[in-house]
Structure formats: C-alpha cells, structure tokens
Amino acid sequence: MSRIKKYKIGRRLGAGVYEQCQTQKFALSEQKRGGGKRMTKRKQVSDYGAQLIEKQKVRFSYGIREKQLQKYVKDAMSRKGSHADHLFEVVEMRLDNTVYRLGLAETRAKARQMVSHGHITVNGKRLNIPSYKVSAGEIVGIRAQSQNKGLFENLEEKIKDTKTPNWLSFDIKKKEGKVVGVPKIGTAEFFDLAAVFEYYSR
C-alpha cells in the first residue's frame, strides 16, 4: 500500500493505525492541511459508524483481512471471560505482530514480509505463516541463514529503544525472543474492542 493511501486512512481512522502516520513527516503534512480542523461541518457519526471505525482500526493496524477478523471475533465470543481480552490476545500474539513487538521490524508490514519470506523461526524451525499464534514458552528467532542479511544489520542499535511488552523477552546475543506470558489489553489502547463486538453483533 502506498504512503499516500496510508496517510488518507490515517486521517480517517487516526494516526495510530499505521507506524508511518506516527512520524514528524505525517504531523507536518497535517499541519499544512490545517490539522484536520477545517471549517466545513462534518456529519455526526452514528453508533454504527463509530463501531465501523473501531473495526477498521483493528483491521488496518494489524493488517488483517475482513474474514480473518470475523473468525477471530467469533472465536473470542465462544470463549469464557472477557471477549475483548481474548480478541486482543489473538491479534497481539500473531507471529508477524510478535516480530514487530520484539523490535526486529520497524512496522507490522515489514514484520509480515520477514515471516512470509522465511526469515523467522519458532522453536528453531522456519515458519512462514504471519497469522500463526505464538504460545507462552515458544522461542521466536532469526533464521541462521538470514542473520547476515541487510534486514538485520546493526540489530542491537535498532532495538535498543524498543519497549518490549512484558509478555515478551529478547536476548540480543542469541538474536531471539521468548514468549513469557499473555498480552493484556490496557486502558490506553488505540482502539475500542467492545465497539468491534457491537459491530459484529448487529
């Protein structure tokens, strides 16, 4: 997807939807456009419209197809406990997102590409399925044949500022991360998962 298209989606759904929309370049482009504070009146968003926006935030943030998200929601609703917690767990623990959270890739799109191209291993075995859900105790690493590729040059420098979530740990010497827990949804998340369930319950 082109940068211009991502900027348009970021303006509609919020800067948090893409990493490229969380840059100074995007902020400056918004300032030039008036920061989104134009004089034209916007239509009031209906409940359905608000729910649709939250659903789209999840889709575009994680790079999930509509059918995939529908399946995730259906599975979450079939489980006991908080449906939102279950949905957050499954999207966060996708292999491509795990690679991104470990700091091995700058964006989820790049992480997805790394996985698809066979650069990532789980428990020492190459795995090229971005949607694979990692589990506690599993080791996510860089394939030995890929470690010297440009993708992973200066890895220590790249990840030094990465804030690894508490459900993951990373060993820079071994160039591998470990799943040490389960992600928990926080109050500061970019999207409202309750609205996503309301959307699919219609």
Side-chain angles (χ1 to χ4, degrees), residues 113-202:
Q113 191 175 48
M114 284 181 182
V115 176
S116 297
H117 289 182
H119 297 304
I120 301 300
T121 62
V122 176
N123 294 335
K125 295 182 179 180
R126 184 171 63 171
L127 189 59
N128 61 356
I129 304 172
S131 62
Y132 173 81
K133 184 187 175 188
V134 298
S135 301
E138 288 190 317
I139 304 295
V140 178
I142 303 169
R143 186 173 174 236
Q145 295 90 325
S146 301
Q147 290 186 9
N148 294 324
K149 291 184 178 293
L151 279 172
F152 305 107
E153 283 183 347
N154 303 316
L155 185 61
E156 188 170 355
E157 183 68 21
K158 288 180 180 178
I159 69 169
K160 69 177 183 179
D161 295 325
T162 299
K163 294 181 179 179
T164 307
N166 57 15
W167 58 278
L168 293 170
S169 65
F170 189 76
D171 188 326
I172 186 60
K173 291 183 179 179
K174 293 182 179 180
K175 296 184 179 180
E176 63 182 29
K178 184 175 183 180
V179 184
V180 295
V182 175
K184 299 295 182 182
I185 191 167
T187 56
E189 295 302 332
F190 170 62
F191 34 70
D192 179 3
L193 292 182
V196 176
F197 285 99
E198 290 171 1
Y199 173 85
Y200 284 110
S201 297
R202 287 178 173 270

Side-chain angles (χ1 to χ4, degrees), residues 30-148:
E30 285 299 276
Q31 287 180 6
K32 290 179 180 179
R33 298 180 77 253
K37 298 178 181 178
R38 296 188 174 186
M39 296 302 293
T40 54
K41 291 184 178 180
R42 291 187 176 183
K43 293 182 180 179
Q44 186 174 357
V45 180
S46 64
D47 288 344
Y48 173 80
Q51 292 160 9
L52 175 61
I53 288 173
E54 295 305 315
K55 186 265 290 186
Q56 293 294 73
K57 283 182 182 180
V58 175
R59 272 200 60 221
F60 286 111
S61 293
Y62 290 97
I64 301 172
R65 296 191 303 274
E66 178 66 28
K67 286 187 177 180
Q68 281 181 308
L69 183 54
Q70 285 180 344
K71 181 179 182 299
Y72 290 160
V73 169
K74 184 178 179 180
D75 289 347
M77 292 180 73
S78 68
R79 296 173 63 183
K80 294 181 180 179
S82 168
H83 295 161
D85 284 344
H86 292 318
L87 179 58
F88 185 69
E89 177 184 324
V90 75
V91 294
E92 274 290 303
M93 297 184 82
R94 283 172 55 100
L95 181 56
D96 54 0
N97 186 70
T98 302
V99 170
Y100 166 67
R101 292 297 189 197
L102 287 170
L104 298 177
E106 297 173 352
T107 66
R108 289 187 179 93
K110 288 183 179 179
R112 189 157 46 252
Q113 191 175 48
M114 284 181 182
V115 176
S116 297
H117 289 182
H119 297 304
I120 301 300
T121 62
V122 176
N123 294 335
K125 295 182 179 180
R126 184 171 63 171
L127 189 59
N128 61 356
I129 304 172
S131 62
Y132 173 81
K133 184 187 175 188
V134 298
S135 301
E138 288 190 317
I139 304 295
V140 178
I142 303 169
R143 186 173 174 236
Q145 295 90 325
S146 301
Q147 290 186 9
N148 294 324

